[in-house]
Amino acid sequence: MARKTGADKPKLYELERVSDRITFLYLEHAKVNRQDSAITVTDDKGVVYVPAAIISVLMLGPGIDITHRAMELIGDSGMSVVWVGEYGVKQYAHGRALNHSSTLLEKQAKLVSNTRSRIDVARKMYQLRFPNEDVSGYTMQELRGKEGSRVRKVYRKESEKTGVEWTRREYNPDNFESSNPINQALTAAHQALYGLSYSVIAALGVSPGLGFVHTGHDMSFVYDFADLYKAEYSIPVAFSIIAESPEGDISRRTRLAMRDFFKDGKLIKRMVRDLKFLLNDEDNSDNVDVINLWDDKLGLQKFGVQYHEMDDD
């Protein structure tokens, strides 16, 4: 019998809460393995050890060779994994969530399935962007118009502040380098923000596909959620990167800048708080390993009971 190696699988309550983790790690052209409770990343420059339980999302780019043992540790640690294309621009696949509770997912599904409650959540999203204005009576068309105007002003403000010329947003998902430098930086910055948004959404057990503003895509809610923070994070970072230099590896420089912008953890805490606010999670439930049986008349029933051994009473 093979001897067990590595650390014991942690209990869910022993893992770092998503709000206490650092943000994301992007890897490409490397071998990923594990040693005890650390992920090892090996390339031609050497080996780096990454504590698995403190990373929110691992972005695996081209040229990654990852072992079964590494994926086992990643799964046990509740780290979200996203397989992405070159520059981190395309998402191809993702791993599972930290949270085992379906409470928030059920709330999300209920809210998005009713027109009135869906509009209410969409208005709450816009209210977070316009804190000094009452948007409760606005239609979706009016809200889109206000948001479009706000984003255009943000672009103009950053252009004037940094001296970076701005015309319009251009993005080709199949050809990253076809865009001008500022649009390349914006794409890379937004993708980093999408990665972090996805990590929080997945870690809390919410569906990335059930959007309230965006719809019809498996990342709809990620786009909804990330839009709350672009004006403060990804857009200013992108303009500052190009103001420093429009040359060099724009994607890598932007990702590093976003990582540094995220590293104090304040945005993750804010994201967790905002997500629960949007989904009306007033009780702030953090159940991670609860399962019940549903009954249309009796409500939730205990799981694990041998009901066939019970009498009719």
Side-chain angles (χ1 to χ4, degrees):
M1 180 180 294
R3 183 168 60 89
K4 182 181 178 181
T5 60
D8 292 335
K9 179 178 178 179
K11 304 296 184 184
L12 286 172
Y13 62 81
E14 295 175 332
L15 296 176
E16 291 285 339
R17 294 163 61 95
V18 62
S19 57
D20 295 329
R21 296 185 178 211
I22 59 177
T23 52
F24 69 90
L25 177 65
Y26 173 84
L27 303 174
E28 61 180 27
H29 303 293
K31 172 85 171 181
V32 180
N33 206 332
R34 74 174 283 184
Q35 181 172 321
D36 297 326
S37 295
I39 296 296
T40 63
V41 184
T42 306
D43 62 9
D44 55 3
K45 297 179 182 178
V47 182
V48 175
Y49 295 84
V50 181
I54 66 170
I55 301 293
S56 294
V57 59
L58 183 64
M59 301 173 71
L60 302 179
I64 286 294
D65 184 2
I66 188 165
T67 68
H68 183 278
R69 293 193 69 242
M71 288 304 302
E72 179 185 31
L73 176 60
I74 289 169
D76 290 345
S77 301
M79 183 194 306
S80 297
V81 183
V82 183
W83 282 264
V84 297
E86 192 174 10
Y87 307 112
V89 172
K90 284 188 175 181
Q91 178 194 348
Y92 295 109
H94 61 271
R96 60 152 301 162
L98 169 63
N99 195 352
H100 288 188
S101 172
S102 63
T103 300
L104 282 173
L105 176 59
E106 291 174 8
K107 289 183 177 182
Q108 179 190 20
K110 182 177 180 180
L111 289 168
V112 81
S113 300
N114 177 277
T115 300
R116 181 175 297 177
S117 61
R118 183 171 184 168
I119 292 175
D120 287 343
V121 174
R123 285 171 177 154
K124 289 170 76 173
M125 289 181 176
Y126 286 107
Q127 190 67 69
L128 289 173
R129 296 174 234 188
F130 302 97
N132 299 319
E133 185 172 348
D134 181 10
V135 302
S136 60
Y138 285 18
T139 65
M140 292 300 298
Q141 182 177 4
E142 290 170 333
L143 290 171
R144 286 195 301 270
K146 285 187 65 65
E147 174 64 1
S149 176
R150 182 185 78 105
V151 172
R152 287 192 294 272
K153 290 178 181 177
V154 171
Y155 284 136
R156 287 198 300 268
K157 176 184 175 182
E158 293 300 325
S159 176
E160 295 169 359
K161 178 181 175 181
T162 61
V164 175
E165 183 179 355
W166 173 254
T167 53
R168 61 191 176 94
R169 179 75 173 111
E170 296 177 332
Y171 165 55
N172 183 351
D174 297 317
N175 189 352
F176 176 78
E177 295 180 331
S178 66
S179 303
N180 60 18
I182 181 57
N183 273 289
Q184 289 183 27
L186 284 166
T187 296
H190 290 339
Q191 289 296 333
L193 185 60
Y194 293 150
L196 183 60
S197 299
Y198 184 93
S199 176
V200 172
I201 288 169
L204 294 180
V206 176
S207 170
L210 295 181
F212 294 86
V213 178
H214 296 83
T215 190
H217 192 276
D218 63 349
M219 294 277 284
S220 292
F221 190 55
V222 176
Y223 299 144
D224 279 1
F225 200 55
D227 279 352
L228 301 177
Y229 312 105
K230 287 181 179 179
E232 295 178 61
Y233 288 89
S234 53
I235 295 176
V237 166
F239 275 88
S240 66
I241 287 296
I242 302 305
E244 291 174 2
S245 174
E247 307 295 333
D249 190 342
I250 293 174
S251 179
R252 180 177 183 276
R253 289 166 51 215
T254 304
R255 282 198 306 272
L256 290 176
M258 290 293 286
R259 183 194 64 188
D260 291 343
F261 215 168
F262 294 157
K263 68 182 180 182
D264 62 7
K266 292 180 180 179
L267 179 56
I268 291 186
K269 294 179 184 294
R270 178 178 165 190
M271 283 180 164
V272 171
R273 183 175 64 250
D274 289 347
L275 190 148
K276 292 190 173 187
F277 163 72
L278 292 173
L279 299 183
N280 299 330
D281 190 40
E282 292 88 358
D283 58 357
N284 198 33
S285 57
D286 286 317
N287 293 328
V288 294
D289 197 9
V290 175
I291 183 168
N292 294 293
L293 300 178
W294 179 81
D295 188 286
D296 61 332
K297 296 179 179 179
L298 302 177
L300 298 181
Q301 300 295 296
K302 289 184 178 180
F303 169 75
V305 176
Q306 298 296 323
Y307 287 97
H308 70 279
E309 297 178 359
M310 303 173 64
D311 58 30
D312 291 340
D313 293 331

